[in-house]
Amino acid sequence: MKDLRFADYFLFTQHSLSTFDNCPLKFRKRYLEGLKWDSFPDERVKKRLERGNNFHLLAHRYFMGVPTGLDQGTEEFGELNEWMECLEREFKKEPFVTYLPEYKLRMVTDPLKLEANFDLIAINEDRIEIWDWKTHGDMQGKNRAALSKRFETSLQTVVYMFVLKEQLPILIGSPIESEKICMCYWQPDRPHLLAKINYSDELHERFRQILEQKIRGVLEYDYAGFEKALFSKHCKYCEFNWFCNNDKVDFEAMEEDEDFLDTLDWDSIEEKY
Ligand code: SF4
């Protein structure tokens, strides 16, 4: 580990871990040096992000039981209203369920210092569901098996399910069997359940190993030996493309690449607006 203070204070998220997988230099610039590139993204991508952000806010209010504030004057009212009608139709609130929207959980053990930001945790009498809203494009027409597999093995699934299971004593006062936990990905645009992952003790141990290996990889990485050629396939989507290659971000290629969209650090982009 080159910077012991970093190891002490940094909480890993699925976004920071996938950024490191894509390019260690990008991870260093974004998370160690705190750099952000102001020209990112272009107007079309920005608009789509804003619509997704607004949906998350409206869903948060719905599950909190407060007025959503959505009216004819809201920008993109038509689409947001349609999405919210779908959400309210498919997620009718039940009095015996505890809803925790936009909920943050953290855990700090060595080396697993992790943070997960959930769109929704729904605590039922006999099960706990994690829900995540996917708002960056209609995925209904995609190959369902491939899509489901991608979600099953995504870093988001690994981090969210692992942290939830580890922090259950804090969340509900006691542990429960892994089999009573599931994670679901749902899109409001043409409402559709994209994937449902049922948890197990075996998955939990596998996820622990994956996370420990990844975090040790970050902490032990030698930036002096960074080889750009190994990561250059990500350059055209990267906000630091101008810095590294004197070239612009290719937004069209970004929007056509499904795998990349799935791992894109939307939250850190959204923080800028
Ligand atoms: S432009 Fe390429 S090499 Fe530079 S930080 Fe981004 S992905 Fe890494």
Side-chain angles (χ1 to χ4, degrees):
M1 173 64 212
K2 311 292 177 237
D3 183 346
L4 290 173
R5 284 173 305 157
F6 164 71
D8 284 343
Y9 73 73
F10 194 79
L11 288 170
F12 289 92
T13 63
Q14 98 267 13
H15 290 310
S16 58
L17 288 170
S18 83
T19 298
F20 186 87
D21 277 354
N22 288 340
C23 176
L25 181 60
K26 183 174 175 179
F27 174 90
R28 175 174 165 161
K29 289 192 170 307
R30 185 181 282 175
Y31 296 103
L32 299 187
E33 298 174 10
L35 295 178
K36 287 180 175 176
W37 202 257
D38 281 345
S39 63
F40 189 76
D42 76 358
E43 280 308 308
R44 195 157 56 100
V45 177
K46 185 179 162 187
K47 214 165 182 52
R48 214 165 71 169
L49 291 171
E50 284 173 344
R51 192 188 310 140
N53 251 355
N54 288 336
F55 174 76
H56 280 73
L57 179 64
L58 294 168
H60 182 192
R61 290 176 182 163
Y62 170 69
F63 286 107
M64 288 291 286
V66 300
T68 62
L70 180 65
D71 60 32
Q72 301 272 357
T74 308
E75 198 173 333
E76 304 217 42
F77 170 78
E79 192 145 27
L80 284 172
N81 191 44
E82 217 173 278
W83 289 9
M84 282 307 292
E85 283 178 359
C86 294
L87 180 88
E88 292 175 23
R89 200 166 47 242
E90 299 210 10
F91 296 85
K92 291 202 189 314
K93 287 185 7 198
E94 307 284 358
F96 50 84
V97 178
T98 302
Y99 298 97
L100 302 175
E102 298 300 326
Y103 202 80
K104 194 187 292 270
L105 276 177
R106 290 172 172 162
M107 61 171 286
V108 179
T109 62
D110 191 19
L112 296 171
K113 297 184 173 68
L114 292 159
E115 178 179 291
N117 297 295
F118 302 88
D119 286 347
L120 177 69
I121 301 173
I123 304 172
N124 215 310
E125 280 171 354
D126 58 353
R127 66 181 187 281
I128 297 186
E129 297 169 353
I130 300 167
W131 285 89
D132 193 81
W133 322 130
K134 289 297 176 204
T135 56
H136 51 75
D138 175 23
M139 299 188 190
Q140 197 167 24
K142 314 287 187 261
N143 180 314
R144 284 185 79 159
L147 197 59
S148 184
K149 191 78 198 153
R150 208 167 68 195
F151 282 118
E152 272 174 38
T153 54
S154 77
L155 265 172
Q156 183 174 12
T157 301
V158 173
V159 172
Y160 280 32
M161 297 195 87
F162 184 80
V163 172
L164 182 86
K165 166 82 177 166
E166 288 287 310
Q167 295 304 81
L168 275 178
I170 290 172
L171 193 66
I172 58 170
S174 62
I176 63 168
E177 294 92 332
S178 300
E179 287 70 21
K180 292 181 177 171
I181 301 170
C182 68
M183 178 159 182
C184 302
Y185 291 90
W186 184 80
Q187 67 170 32
D189 184 9
R190 303 190 201 186
H192 185 61
L193 179 67
L194 298 164
K196 179 178 180 183
I197 299 105
N198 293 309
Y199 213 33
S200 65
D201 288 345
E202 191 193 339
L203 262 188
H204 192 60
E205 279 318 302
R206 197 188 316 158
F207 286 0
R208 182 193 303 281
Q209 285 168 17
I210 289 171
L211 289 168
E212 284 185 355
Q213 192 183 28
K214 282 189 180 295
I215 289 173
R216 290 217 162 87
V218 176
L219 298 177
E220 289 164 8
Y221 190 76
D222 176 14
Y223 288 97
F226 174 74
E227 282 187 56
K228 191 167 77 175
L230 296 177
F231 305 95
S232 57
K233 69 175 184 176
H234 295 284
C235 291
K236 62 183 175 183
Y237 314 116
C238 176
E239 68 205 86
F240 302 111
N241 201 17
W242 188 259
F243 175 89
C244 291
N245 303 307
N246 209 16
D247 205 356
K248 290 180 182 169
V249 178
D250 185 343
F251 292 107
E252 276 184 26
M254 178 194 287
E255 291 197 275
E256 281 166 16
D257 190 308
E258 294 164 26
D259 287 334
F260 181 76
L261 280 173
D262 201 33
T263 57
L264 184 63
D265 188 346
W266 294 98
D267 289 347
S268 80
I269 296 164
E270 287 164 4
E271 280 168 14
K272 298 181 188 176
Y273 298 98

Short mmCIF file of all heavy atoms in Angstrom, two decimals, residues 1 6-20 27 31-32 105-109 111-117 155 159-160 163 211-212 214-220 223:
data_model
loop_
_atom_site.label_atom_id
_atom_site.label_comp_id
_atom_site.label_asym_id
_atom_site.label_seq_id
_atom_site.Cartn_x
_atom_site.Cartn_y
_atom_site.Cartn_z
N MET A 1 0.84 -1.20 0.00
CA MET A 1 0.00 0.00 0.00
C MET A 1 0.87 1.25 0.00
O MET A 1 1.76 1.38 0.82
CB MET A 1 -0.91 -0.03 1.25
CG MET A 1 -1.72 1.24 1.45
SD MET A 1 -2.84 1.49 0.11
CE MET A 1 -2.87 3.26 0.07
N PHE A 6 -4.92 6.74 2.86
CA PHE A 6 -5.99 6.38 1.94
C PHE A 6 -6.68 5.08 2.40
O PHE A 6 -7.90 4.99 2.44
CB PHE A 6 -5.41 6.22 0.53
CG PHE A 6 -6.31 5.49 -0.43
CD1 PHE A 6 -7.46 6.09 -0.89
CD2 PHE A 6 -6.00 4.21 -0.84
CE1 PHE A 6 -8.31 5.42 -1.76
CE2 PHE A 6 -6.83 3.53 -1.71
CZ PHE A 6 -7.99 4.14 -2.17
N ALA A 7 -5.87 4.09 2.78
CA ALA A 7 -6.43 2.81 3.22
C ALA A 7 -7.28 3.00 4.47
O ALA A 7 -8.24 2.28 4.69
CB ALA A 7 -5.29 1.83 3.50
N ASP A 8 -6.95 3.98 5.28
CA ASP A 8 -7.70 4.21 6.53
C ASP A 8 -9.06 4.83 6.30
O ASP A 8 -10.03 4.47 6.94
CB ASP A 8 -6.90 5.13 7.48
CG ASP A 8 -5.76 4.37 8.12
OD1 ASP A 8 -5.81 3.12 8.08
OD2 ASP A 8 -4.83 5.02 8.63
N TYR A 9 -9.13 5.81 5.39
CA TYR A 9 -10.37 6.58 5.32
C TYR A 9 -11.28 6.23 4.16
O TYR A 9 -12.46 6.56 4.16
CB TYR A 9 -10.08 8.09 5.31
CG TYR A 9 -9.49 8.63 4.02
CD1 TYR A 9 -10.27 8.76 2.87
CD2 TYR A 9 -8.16 9.04 3.96
CE1 TYR A 9 -9.74 9.26 1.69
CE2 TYR A 9 -7.62 9.53 2.78
CZ TYR A 9 -8.42 9.64 1.65
OH TYR A 9 -7.89 10.12 0.49
N PHE A 10 -10.78 5.57 3.14
CA PHE A 10 -11.57 5.41 1.92
C PHE A 10 -12.60 4.29 2.04
O PHE A 10 -12.28 3.18 2.45
CB PHE A 10 -10.63 5.12 0.74
CG PHE A 10 -11.28 5.26 -0.60
CD1 PHE A 10 -11.48 6.51 -1.16
CD2 PHE A 10 -11.74 4.14 -1.29
CE1 PHE A 10 -12.10 6.65 -2.40
CE2 PHE A 10 -12.36 4.27 -2.52
CZ PHE A 10 -12.54 5.53 -3.07
N LEU A 11 -13.85 4.62 1.68
CA LEU A 11 -14.90 3.60 1.64
C LEU A 11 -15.13 3.24 0.18
O LEU A 11 -15.48 4.09 -0.64
CB LEU A 11 -16.20 4.15 2.24
CG LEU A 11 -16.22 4.32 3.76
CD1 LEU A 11 -17.45 5.11 4.18
CD2 LEU A 11 -16.19 2.97 4.46
N PHE A 12 -14.96 1.98 -0.16
CA PHE A 12 -15.15 1.54 -1.54
C PHE A 12 -16.63 1.39 -1.87
O PHE A 12 -17.41 0.90 -1.04
CB PHE A 12 -14.44 0.20 -1.78
CG PHE A 12 -12.95 0.32 -1.78
CD1 PHE A 12 -12.22 0.13 -0.61
CD2 PHE A 12 -12.27 0.63 -2.95
CE1 PHE A 12 -10.84 0.24 -0.61
CE2 PHE A 12 -10.89 0.74 -2.95
CZ PHE A 12 -10.18 0.56 -1.78
N THR A 13 -17.00 1.81 -3.08
CA THR A 13 -18.35 1.59 -3.60
C THR A 13 -18.22 0.73 -4.85
O THR A 13 -17.12 0.53 -5.36
CB THR A 13 -19.01 2.93 -3.98
OG1 THR A 13 -18.24 3.50 -5.05
CG2 THR A 13 -19.07 3.88 -2.80
N GLN A 14 -19.38 0.32 -5.39
CA GLN A 14 -19.29 -0.46 -6.63
C GLN A 14 -18.74 0.42 -7.74
O GLN A 14 -18.07 -0.06 -8.66
CB GLN A 14 -20.63 -1.11 -7.00
CG GLN A 14 -21.47 -0.38 -8.02
CD GLN A 14 -22.47 0.55 -7.34
OE1 GLN A 14 -22.34 0.81 -6.15
NE2 GLN A 14 -23.44 1.03 -8.07
N HIS A 15 -19.01 1.72 -7.67
CA HIS A 15 -18.53 2.61 -8.72
C HIS A 15 -17.01 2.77 -8.67
O HIS A 15 -16.34 2.71 -9.70
CB HIS A 15 -19.18 3.99 -8.58
CG HIS A 15 -20.63 3.98 -8.92
ND1 HIS A 15 -21.12 3.44 -10.08
CD2 HIS A 15 -21.71 4.44 -8.25
CE1 HIS A 15 -22.43 3.56 -10.11
NE2 HIS A 15 -22.82 4.17 -9.01
N SER A 16 -16.47 2.95 -7.46
CA SER A 16 -15.02 3.15 -7.39
C SER A 16 -14.29 1.85 -7.76
O SER A 16 -13.25 1.88 -8.43
CB SER A 16 -14.59 3.66 -6.02
OG SER A 16 -14.97 2.77 -5.00
N LEU A 17 -14.85 0.70 -7.36
CA LEU A 17 -14.21 -0.57 -7.71
C LEU A 17 -14.27 -0.83 -9.21
O LEU A 17 -13.30 -1.30 -9.81
CB LEU A 17 -14.88 -1.73 -6.95
CG LEU A 17 -14.57 -1.78 -5.45
CD1 LEU A 17 -15.46 -2.80 -4.75
CD2 LEU A 17 -13.10 -2.09 -5.18
N SER A 18 -15.42 -0.47 -9.84
CA SER A 18 -15.47 -0.73 -11.28
C SER A 18 -14.63 0.28 -12.04
O SER A 18 -14.07 -0.03 -13.10
CB SER A 18 -16.92 -0.80 -11.80
OG SER A 18 -17.43 0.45 -12.05
N THR A 19 -14.50 1.48 -11.49
CA THR A 19 -13.59 2.45 -12.12
C THR A 19 -12.16 1.91 -12.10
O THR A 19 -11.44 2.00 -13.09
CB THR A 19 -13.64 3.81 -11.36
OG1 THR A 19 -14.96 4.33 -11.46
CG2 THR A 19 -12.66 4.81 -11.94
N PHE A 20 -11.76 1.31 -10.99
CA PHE A 20 -10.41 0.75 -10.90
C PHE A 20 -10.23 -0.39 -11.91
O PHE A 20 -9.21 -0.49 -12.57
CB PHE A 20 -10.10 0.25 -9.49
CG PHE A 20 -8.69 -0.20 -9.32
CD1 PHE A 20 -7.69 0.71 -8.99
CD2 PHE A 20 -8.33 -1.53 -9.54
CE1 PHE A 20 -6.36 0.30 -8.86
CE2 PHE A 20 -7.02 -1.95 -9.42
CZ PHE A 20 -6.03 -1.03 -9.07
N PHE A 27 -9.09 5.76 -11.69
CA PHE A 27 -9.42 5.67 -10.27
C PHE A 27 -8.57 6.67 -9.49
O PHE A 27 -9.07 7.39 -8.64
CB PHE A 27 -9.14 4.24 -9.77
CG PHE A 27 -9.31 4.07 -8.29
CD1 PHE A 27 -10.54 3.71 -7.75
CD2 PHE A 27 -8.24 4.29 -7.42
CE1 PHE A 27 -10.70 3.57 -6.38
CE2 PHE A 27 -8.40 4.14 -6.05
CZ PHE A 27 -9.63 3.79 -5.53
N TYR A 31 -10.52 9.49 -7.53
CA TYR A 31 -10.74 9.26 -6.10
C TYR A 31 -9.56 9.65 -5.21
O TYR A 31 -9.76 9.96 -4.05
CB TYR A 31 -11.10 7.79 -5.86
CG TYR A 31 -12.40 7.41 -6.52
CD1 TYR A 31 -12.43 6.68 -7.71
CD2 TYR A 31 -13.62 7.81 -5.97
CE1 TYR A 31 -13.62 6.36 -8.33
CE2 TYR A 31 -14.82 7.48 -6.58
CZ TYR A 31 -14.81 6.76 -7.76
OH TYR A 31 -16.00 6.44 -8.37
N LEU A 32 -8.34 9.60 -5.74
CA LEU A 32 -7.20 9.99 -4.91
C LEU A 32 -6.85 11.46 -5.10
O LEU A 32 -6.51 12.16 -4.15
CB LEU A 32 -5.97 9.13 -5.22
CG LEU A 32 -6.11 7.63 -4.97
CD1 LEU A 32 -4.77 6.93 -5.15
CD2 LEU A 32 -6.65 7.35 -3.58
N LEU A 105 -25.78 2.28 3.55
CA LEU A 105 -25.20 1.40 4.57
C LEU A 105 -23.69 1.36 4.39
O LEU A 105 -23.20 1.30 3.25
CB LEU A 105 -25.74 -0.02 4.44
CG LEU A 105 -27.09 -0.36 5.10
CD1 LEU A 105 -27.48 -1.80 4.78
CD2 LEU A 105 -27.06 -0.14 6.61
N ARG A 106 -22.99 1.37 5.52
CA ARG A 106 -21.53 1.30 5.46
C ARG A 106 -21.04 0.17 6.35
O ARG A 106 -21.69 -0.13 7.36
CB ARG A 106 -20.92 2.61 5.99
CG ARG A 106 -21.17 3.77 5.06
CD ARG A 106 -20.73 5.05 5.69
NE ARG A 106 -20.79 6.13 4.72
CZ ARG A 106 -20.82 7.41 5.02
NH1 ARG A 106 -20.79 7.78 6.30
NH2 ARG A 106 -20.86 8.32 4.09
N MET A 107 -19.89 -0.38 5.99
CA MET A 107 -19.27 -1.36 6.89
C MET A 107 -17.76 -1.12 6.88
O MET A 107 -17.17 -0.74 5.87
CB MET A 107 -19.59 -2.79 6.46
CG MET A 107 -19.11 -3.20 5.08
SD MET A 107 -19.30 -4.96 4.78
CE MET A 107 -17.96 -5.61 5.79
N VAL A 108 -17.16 -1.31 8.04
CA VAL A 108 -15.72 -1.07 8.15
C VAL A 108 -15.07 -2.23 8.88
O VAL A 108 -15.16 -2.35 10.10
CB VAL A 108 -15.42 0.26 8.90
CG1 VAL A 108 -13.91 0.46 9.02
CG2 VAL A 108 -16.06 1.43 8.19
N THR A 109 -14.49 -3.15 8.11
CA THR A 109 -13.63 -4.19 8.67
C THR A 109 -12.38 -4.18 7.81
O THR A 109 -12.35 -3.53 6.76
CB THR A 109 -14.30 -5.59 8.61
OG1 THR A 109 -14.53 -5.92 7.25
CG2 THR A 109 -15.60 -5.62 9.38
N PRO A 111 -9.99 -6.02 5.24
CA PRO A 111 -9.82 -4.80 4.44
C PRO A 111 -11.15 -4.27 3.87
O PRO A 111 -11.13 -3.41 3.01
CB PRO A 111 -8.94 -5.29 3.29
CG PRO A 111 -9.45 -6.68 3.02
CD PRO A 111 -9.90 -7.23 4.37
N LEU A 112 -12.28 -4.81 4.33
CA LEU A 112 -13.56 -4.49 3.67
C LEU A 112 -14.18 -3.22 4.24
O LEU A 112 -15.00 -3.26 5.17
CB LEU A 112 -14.52 -5.68 3.82
CG LEU A 112 -14.05 -6.95 3.11
CD1 LEU A 112 -14.93 -8.13 3.49
CD2 LEU A 112 -14.04 -6.76 1.60
N LYS A 113 -13.79 -2.10 3.67
CA LYS A 113 -14.39 -0.81 4.02
C LYS A 113 -15.29 -0.44 2.83
O LYS A 113 -14.81 -0.06 1.77
CB LYS A 113 -13.32 0.25 4.25
CG LYS A 113 -12.41 -0.08 5.42
CD LYS A 113 -11.43 1.06 5.67
CE LYS A 113 -10.64 0.82 6.94
NZ LYS A 113 -9.70 -0.31 6.86
N LEU A 114 -16.59 -0.59 3.04
CA LEU A 114 -17.52 -0.51 1.90
C LEU A 114 -18.71 0.37 2.20
O LEU A 114 -19.13 0.51 3.36
CB LEU A 114 -18.04 -1.92 1.57
CG LEU A 114 -17.03 -2.91 1.00
CD1 LEU A 114 -17.50 -4.34 1.20
CD2 LEU A 114 -16.79 -2.63 -0.48
N GLU A 115 -19.26 0.95 1.13
CA GLU A 115 -20.47 1.76 1.25
C GLU A 115 -21.41 1.36 0.10
O GLU A 115 -20.99 1.20 -1.03
CB GLU A 115 -20.13 3.24 1.14
CG GLU A 115 -21.36 4.13 1.22
CD GLU A 115 -20.99 5.61 1.12
OE1 GLU A 115 -20.36 6.12 2.06
OE2 GLU A 115 -21.31 6.21 0.09
N ALA A 116 -22.71 1.21 0.45
CA ALA A 116 -23.72 0.90 -0.58
C ALA A 116 -24.85 1.90 -0.44
O ALA A 116 -25.32 2.17 0.67
CB ALA A 116 -24.23 -0.53 -0.40
N ASN A 117 -25.28 2.44 -1.57
CA ASN A 117 -26.38 3.42 -1.59
C ASN A 117 -27.56 2.78 -2.32
O ASN A 117 -27.57 2.70 -3.54
CB ASN A 117 -25.94 4.70 -2.30
CG ASN A 117 -24.81 5.37 -1.55
OD1 ASN A 117 -24.99 5.83 -0.43
ND2 ASN A 117 -23.63 5.39 -2.15
N LEU A 155 -20.74 -5.73 -10.16
CA LEU A 155 -20.16 -5.28 -8.89
C LEU A 155 -21.23 -4.66 -7.99
O LEU A 155 -21.13 -4.72 -6.77
CB LEU A 155 -19.06 -4.25 -9.17
CG LEU A 155 -17.66 -4.83 -9.23
CD1 LEU A 155 -16.68 -3.77 -9.70
CD2 LEU A 155 -17.25 -5.38 -7.88
N VAL A 159 -21.54 -5.82 -4.17
CA VAL A 159 -21.37 -4.88 -3.05
C VAL A 159 -22.67 -4.75 -2.25
O VAL A 159 -22.66 -4.83 -1.02
CB VAL A 159 -20.91 -3.50 -3.56
CG1 VAL A 159 -20.93 -2.47 -2.43
CG2 VAL A 159 -19.50 -3.59 -4.15
N TYR A 160 -23.79 -4.56 -2.94
CA TYR A 160 -25.05 -4.30 -2.23
C TYR A 160 -25.49 -5.49 -1.38
O TYR A 160 -25.87 -5.33 -0.22
CB TYR A 160 -26.15 -3.96 -3.25
CG TYR A 160 -26.12 -2.54 -3.75
CD1 TYR A 160 -24.92 -1.85 -3.89
CD2 TYR A 160 -27.28 -1.90 -4.13
CE1 TYR A 160 -24.89 -0.56 -4.38
CE2 TYR A 160 -27.26 -0.59 -4.61
CZ TYR A 160 -26.06 0.06 -4.74
OH TYR A 160 -26.03 1.35 -5.22
N VAL A 163 -22.93 -6.10 1.62
CA VAL A 163 -23.02 -5.09 2.69
C VAL A 163 -24.34 -5.25 3.46
O VAL A 163 -24.37 -5.18 4.68
CB VAL A 163 -22.88 -3.66 2.13
CG1 VAL A 163 -23.17 -2.62 3.20
CG2 VAL A 163 -21.48 -3.45 1.56
N LEU A 211 -14.55 -9.32 -3.17
CA LEU A 211 -14.32 -7.97 -2.65
C LEU A 211 -12.95 -7.85 -2.00
O LEU A 211 -12.24 -6.85 -2.19
CB LEU A 211 -15.44 -7.59 -1.68
CG LEU A 211 -16.79 -7.34 -2.36
CD1 LEU A 211 -17.92 -7.27 -1.34
CD2 LEU A 211 -16.75 -6.05 -3.18
N GLU A 212 -12.57 -8.87 -1.22
CA GLU A 212 -11.25 -8.80 -0.57
C GLU A 212 -10.15 -8.75 -1.62
O GLU A 212 -9.20 -7.97 -1.51
CB GLU A 212 -11.06 -10.01 0.35
CG GLU A 212 -11.84 -9.87 1.64
CD GLU A 212 -11.59 -11.01 2.62
OE1 GLU A 212 -10.88 -11.98 2.26
OE2 GLU A 212 -12.12 -10.92 3.74
N LYS A 214 -10.37 -7.71 -4.75
CA LYS A 214 -10.38 -6.44 -5.49
C LYS A 214 -9.79 -5.31 -4.65
O LYS A 214 -8.99 -4.51 -5.12
CB LYS A 214 -11.81 -6.07 -5.91
CG LYS A 214 -12.28 -6.85 -7.12
CD LYS A 214 -13.57 -6.34 -7.67
CE LYS A 214 -13.99 -7.15 -8.89
NZ LYS A 214 -13.08 -7.02 -10.04
N ILE A 215 -10.19 -5.24 -3.38
CA ILE A 215 -9.70 -4.14 -2.53
C ILE A 215 -8.20 -4.28 -2.29
O ILE A 215 -7.46 -3.29 -2.35
CB ILE A 215 -10.51 -4.09 -1.22
CG1 ILE A 215 -11.93 -3.59 -1.54
CG2 ILE A 215 -9.84 -3.20 -0.19
CD1 ILE A 215 -12.90 -3.64 -0.40
N ARG A 216 -7.73 -5.50 -2.07
CA ARG A 216 -6.27 -5.68 -1.91
C ARG A 216 -5.56 -5.26 -3.19
O ARG A 216 -4.48 -4.66 -3.14
CB ARG A 216 -5.95 -7.14 -1.57
CG ARG A 216 -6.40 -7.53 -0.18
CD ARG A 216 -5.44 -8.49 0.53
NE ARG A 216 -5.70 -8.48 1.96
CZ ARG A 216 -6.60 -9.25 2.57
NH1 ARG A 216 -7.32 -10.10 1.87
NH2 ARG A 216 -6.76 -9.17 3.88
N GLY A 217 -6.18 -5.57 -4.34
CA GLY A 217 -5.60 -5.17 -5.62
C GLY A 217 -5.45 -3.67 -5.72
O GLY A 217 -4.44 -3.16 -6.21
N VAL A 218 -6.44 -2.92 -5.25
CA VAL A 218 -6.37 -1.45 -5.28
C VAL A 218 -5.29 -0.96 -4.33
O VAL A 218 -4.45 -0.11 -4.67
CB VAL A 218 -7.73 -0.82 -4.88
CG1 VAL A 218 -7.61 0.70 -4.83
CG2 VAL A 218 -8.84 -1.23 -5.85
N LEU A 219 -5.29 -1.50 -3.12
CA LEU A 219 -4.37 -0.99 -2.10
C LEU A 219 -2.91 -1.29 -2.43
O LEU A 219 -2.01 -0.57 -2.03
CB LEU A 219 -4.72 -1.59 -0.73
CG LEU A 219 -6.12 -1.24 -0.19
CD1 LEU A 219 -6.39 -1.93 1.14
CD2 LEU A 219 -6.28 0.27 -0.03
N GLU A 220 -2.70 -2.36 -3.19
CA GLU A 220 -1.31 -2.75 -3.48
C GLU A 220 -0.86 -2.30 -4.87
O GLU A 220 0.25 -2.60 -5.28
CB GLU A 220 -1.19 -4.29 -3.37
CG GLU A 220 -1.28 -4.75 -1.92
CD GLU A 220 -1.56 -6.25 -1.80
OE1 GLU A 220 -1.52 -6.95 -2.83
OE2 GLU A 220 -1.83 -6.68 -0.66
N TYR A 223 1.26 2.39 -9.14
CA TYR A 223 0.92 3.33 -10.22
C TYR A 223 2.14 3.67 -11.09
O TYR A 223 1.98 4.06 -12.24
CB TYR A 223 0.30 4.61 -9.64
CG TYR A 223 -1.10 4.37 -9.13
CD1 TYR A 223 -1.34 4.13 -7.79
CD2 TYR A 223 -2.18 4.36 -10.01
CE1 TYR A 223 -2.62 3.88 -7.32
CE2 TYR A 223 -3.47 4.12 -9.55
CZ TYR A 223 -3.68 3.88 -8.21
OH TYR A 223 -4.94 3.62 -7.76
#
